[in-house]
C-alpha cells in the first residue's frame, strides 16, 4: 500500500467522523447520567469497567496484537488467523467467567457493595462479548474499513443513550443503569459483526488442527503475543489503579467525581481511539511493504504533526475546562481540578502508539515489559503517596507521572531497535510548558486568570511548532485542491 498525504488524511477522516459524532453524543449522555445518578452510584460504574477490563486482559493473551502483527504477512489465511487468535481467548474467558459466577457474591460485594444475579450476568456477559468484539473490530480496522468502523461506533452510542433513557425510567438512581447501557449495545453490535464475518468468509475452508505452508504456527503466534500481557496489564493499572486508590483511600463519591473528570477526557480520548484504530494498520502495512527509506521519514513526519495536535488539544481543554465541566452539574464541580494533569494521559498514550511501533516491527515486545514494570511501580507509589491527601488530583498527578515514565522508557527501547529520527526536542519543550501550566491550573481557583494563562502558553506552543503548522496547512491545502479537482 502506497499512501500519499491525501489518502492518509482521508483514511484518518473516515475513522474520525464516527468518533466525532460519538463525542457529540457523549456530551448528551454524560450530563444525563451525572444529573440523574449520585456520585457514589456513578463511582460504582467505574468499578464495573475496571473489573471486566482486567478479566479481558488475561483472557486475550495478547493475541489481538498477534492478529495485528501477522495480518499483512504474505499468503496468510486471515480467516484462520482470526480463529487462531479468538479460540484460546474465548476458552480462557469462559473459564474465568465460570469462576466469577461461582463466587459472584464475594466479587460483587467487593466491587460494588451490592449483589444480584443481574449484576453477575452483566459482568460475565460484557466480559465474554468483549472478546468477540475485540477481534471483530480489529478485522474491520486491519481491512482499513474506516466508514464501517465509524458507523458501528455511532450505532453503539445511539443504542447506549437509548438504553440509558429506558433503564433510568425503570431503575432510577442505580449504577446498574450504566451496566445495562454498556452491555446490551455491545452484544447487539458484536452479534451483527459476527454474522457479517461468517457470511463474508463462509466459502473459505480452514482447519485449526492442520497446518499449511503459509500458516502462522501456534508457537510463533503465542511467542509473539503473550509478552504483551504485562504491557496490557500496565495499561489496565494506569486506567484503573487511580480509581481503585480513590476507592480504597476515600469513597465511591470521590471515585464518581474522578470518573466524571475522566469522561471529560473523551474530547482527547476520541482522538486517541481514532488514531490507534487508524495508525496500527497503516504503520504495519508500511513496514511490511515499503522500504525503510520511505517508512522512517514518514513516521518522523507524522510524529511531529500528531504531537502538535495532541498537545494543542490538551492546552485548549485545560484552558476551557471551566466551561466544559458545566455539563456535569453542580455535584461534580470539583472535577475541574482533576483535568489538567489527567489530560497528559491520552496525549502520551497517543505519542507512544507511534514511537512504540518499532518494538512490534522487530518482534522485541519483551522489552516493553521493562517500561511496563517501571510504570506499574511508579503508579503504585504515586497513588499511595498522593491519593490519601490530594484525592482525585493526586490520582491524576500520579497517572501523569506514570505515563511520562512509560513513554520515556518504552520509546528508548523502540528507537534502539528501530531507529527513527523523531524530533523529540520540539515535543519535550511543549510538554514541559504544558506541565508547568497544568500545575498552575490545578491550584488556582480563578478560572479567568487560568484561562488567560492558558491562552498565553498556548501561543508559545504555536510559536515553537510554527514549522509544523505550515506543514499541516500545506497538507490540508493539497487535500482541498484534490477534492476540488475531483468535483
Amino acid at each position: 500500500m502506497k499512501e500519499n498525504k491525501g489518502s492518509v488524511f482521508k483514511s484518518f477522516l473516515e475513522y474520525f467522523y464516527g468518533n466525532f459524532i460519538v463525542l457529540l453524543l457523549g456530551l448528551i449522555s454524560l450530563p444525563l447520567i451525572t444529573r440523574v445518578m449520585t456520585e457514589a452510584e456513578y463511582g460504582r460504574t467505574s468499578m464495573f469497567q475496571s473489573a471486566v477490563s482486567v478479566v479481558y486482559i488475561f483472557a486475550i493473551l495478547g493475541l489481538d496484537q498477534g492478529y495485528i502483527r501477522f495480518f499483512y504477512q504474505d499468503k496468510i489465511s486471515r480467516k484462520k488467523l482470526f480463529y487462531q487468535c479468538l479460540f484460546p481467548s474465548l476458552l480462557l474467558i469462559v473459564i474465568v467467567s465460570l469462576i466469577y459466577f461461582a463466587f459472584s457474591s464475594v466479587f460483587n460485594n467487593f466491587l460494588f457493595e451490592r449483589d444480584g444475579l443481574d449484576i453477575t450476568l452483566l459482568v460475565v456477559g460484557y466480559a465474554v462479548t468483549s472478546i468477540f468484539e475485540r477481534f471483530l473490530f480489529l478485522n474491520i480496522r486491519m481491512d482499513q474499513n474506516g466508514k464501517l468502523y465509524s458507523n458501528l461506533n455511532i450505532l453503539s452510542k445511539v443504542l447506549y443513550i437509548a438504553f440509558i433513557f429506558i433503564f433510568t425510567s425503570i431503575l432510577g438512581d442505580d449504577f446498574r443503569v450504566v451496566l445495562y447501557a454498556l452491555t446490551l449495545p455491545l452484544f447487539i453490535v458484536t452479534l451483527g459483526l459476527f454474522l457479517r464475518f461468517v457470511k463474508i468468509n463462509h466459502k473459505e475452508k480452514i482447519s485449526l488442527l492442520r497446518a499449511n505452508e503459509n500458516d502462522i504456527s501456534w508457537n510463533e503466534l503465542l511467542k509473539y503475543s503473550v509478552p504483551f500481557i504485562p504491557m496490557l496489564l500496565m495499561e489496565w493499572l494506569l486506567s484503573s489503579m487511580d480509581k481503585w486508590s480513590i476507592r480504597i483511600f476515600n469513597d465511591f463519591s470521590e471515585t464518581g467525581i474522578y470518573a466524571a473528570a475522566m469522561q471529560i477526557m473523551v474530547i482527547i480520548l476520541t482522538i486517541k481511539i481514532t488514531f490507534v484504530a487508524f495508525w496500527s494498520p497503516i504503520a504495519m502495512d508500511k513496514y511490511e511493504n515499503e522500504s525503510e527509506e520511505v517508512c522512517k521519514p514518514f513516521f518522523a513526519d507524522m510524529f511531529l504533526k500528531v504531537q502538535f495536535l495532541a498537545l494543542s488539544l490538551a492546552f485548549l481543554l485545560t484552558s476551557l475546562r471551566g466551561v466544559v465541566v458545566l455539563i456535569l452539574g453542580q455535584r461534580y464541580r470539583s472535577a475541574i481540578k482533576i483535568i489538567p494533569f489527567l489530560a497528559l494521559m491520552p496525549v502520551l498514550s497517543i505519542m507512544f502508539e507511534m514511537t512504540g511501533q518499532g518494538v512490534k516491527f522487530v518482534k522485541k515486545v519483551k522489552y516493553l515489559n521493562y517500561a511496563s514494570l517501571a510504570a506499574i511501580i511508579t503508579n503504585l507509589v504515586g497513588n499511595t503517596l498522593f491519593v490519601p491527601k490530594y484525592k482525585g488530583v493526586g490520582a491524576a498527578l500520579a497517572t501523569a507521572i506514570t505515563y511520562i515514565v512509560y513513554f520515556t522508557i518504552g520509546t528508548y527501547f523502540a528507537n534502539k531497535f528501530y531507529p527513527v529520527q523523531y524530533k523529540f526536542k520540539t515535543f519535550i519543550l511543549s510538554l514541559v510548558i504544558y506541565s508547568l501550566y497544568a500545575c498552575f491550573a490545578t491550584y488556582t481557583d480563578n478560572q479567568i486568570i487560568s484561562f488567560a494563562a492558558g491562552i498565553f502558553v498556548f501561543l508559545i506552543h504555536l510559536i515553537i511548532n510554527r514549522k509544523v503548522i505550515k506543514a499541516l496547512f500545506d497538507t490540508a491545502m493539497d487535500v482541498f485542491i484534490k477534492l476540488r479537482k475531483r468535483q
Side-chain angles (χ1 to χ4, degrees), residues 5-106:
K5 292 179 180 179
S7 62
V8 171
F9 184 69
K10 180 184 176 184
S11 178
F12 178 78
L13 288 180
E14 288 180 352
Y15 283 96
F16 179 72
Y17 86 84
N19 281 325
F20 180 72
I21 295 174
V22 168
L23 167 62
L24 297 180
L25 293 173
L27 295 177
I28 297 172
S29 63
L30 182 57
L32 174 67
I33 295 169
T34 55
R35 279 167 169 77
V36 171
M37 201 170 291
T38 59
E39 303 95 310
E41 289 299 306
Y42 192 60
R44 288 182 172 88
T45 66
S46 66
M47 292 295 101
F48 167 79
Q49 292 171 305
S50 176
V52 294
S53 294
V54 73
V55 171
Y56 161 86
I57 287 169
F58 283 108
I60 207 79
L61 286 173
L63 289 166
D64 55 337
Q65 300 299 318
Y67 188 68
I68 293 171
R69 179 63 185 84
F70 296 110
F71 187 88
Y72 291 113
Q73 192 153 309
D74 193 33
K75 297 180 181 179
I76 193 172
S77 168
R78 292 174 177 176
K79 178 181 179 181
K80 183 171 182 177
L81 179 64
F82 176 87
Y83 285 113
Q84 275 185 287
C85 294
L86 174 66
F87 282 156
S89 301
L90 187 60
L91 178 62
L92 272 178
I93 198 70
V94 169
I95 294 172
V96 173
S97 297
L98 290 173
I99 294 171
Y100 190 97
F101 199 88
F103 299 97
S104 59
S105 181
V106 176

Side-chain angles (χ1 to χ4, degrees), residues 132-184:
F132 285 96
E133 186 263 354
R134 175 60 173 163
F135 288 108
L136 289 165
F137 263 88
L138 264 182
N139 179 257
I140 294 172
R141 284 173 50 194
M142 300 311 290
D143 281 336
Q144 298 183 33
N145 193 340
K147 291 181 180 179
L148 179 60
Y149 176 88
S150 290
N151 292 336
L152 288 172
N153 277 323
I154 294 170
L155 175 61
S156 296
K157 196 65 175 183
V158 170
L159 290 173
Y160 172 78
I161 293 174
F163 284 122
I164 286 288
F165 276 107
I166 292 170
F167 286 100
T168 296
S169 64
I170 297 172
L171 299 173
D173 180 22
D174 191 310
F175 79 104
R176 290 177 297 165
V177 169
V178 177
L179 270 61
Y180 278 109
L182 287 170
T183 304
L184 294 179

Side-chain angles (χ1 to χ4, degrees), residues 106-145:
V106 176
F107 290 129
N108 289 340
N109 280 297
F110 173 70
L111 290 170
F112 316 115
E113 295 181 353
R114 303 275 180 82
D115 192 18
L117 179 61
D118 58 342
I119 296 174
T120 303
L121 291 176
L122 286 166
V123 172
V124 170
Y126 189 96
V128 173
T129 307
S130 65
I131 297 296
F132 285 96
E133 186 263 354
R134 175 60 173 163
F135 288 108
L136 289 165
F137 263 88
L138 264 182
N139 179 257
I140 294 172
R141 284 173 50 194
M142 300 311 290
D143 281 336
Q144 298 183 33
N145 193 340

Side-chain angles (χ1 to χ4, degrees), residues 49-55 57-58 230-242 244:
Q49 292 171 305
S50 176
V52 294
S53 294
V54 73
V55 171
I57 287 169
F58 283 108
M231 186 186 75
L232 294 171
L233 180 60
M234 185 282 305
E235 291 179 356
W236 172 83
L237 281 167
L238 294 189
S239 64
S240 301
M241 283 308 295
D242 42 11
W244 282 95

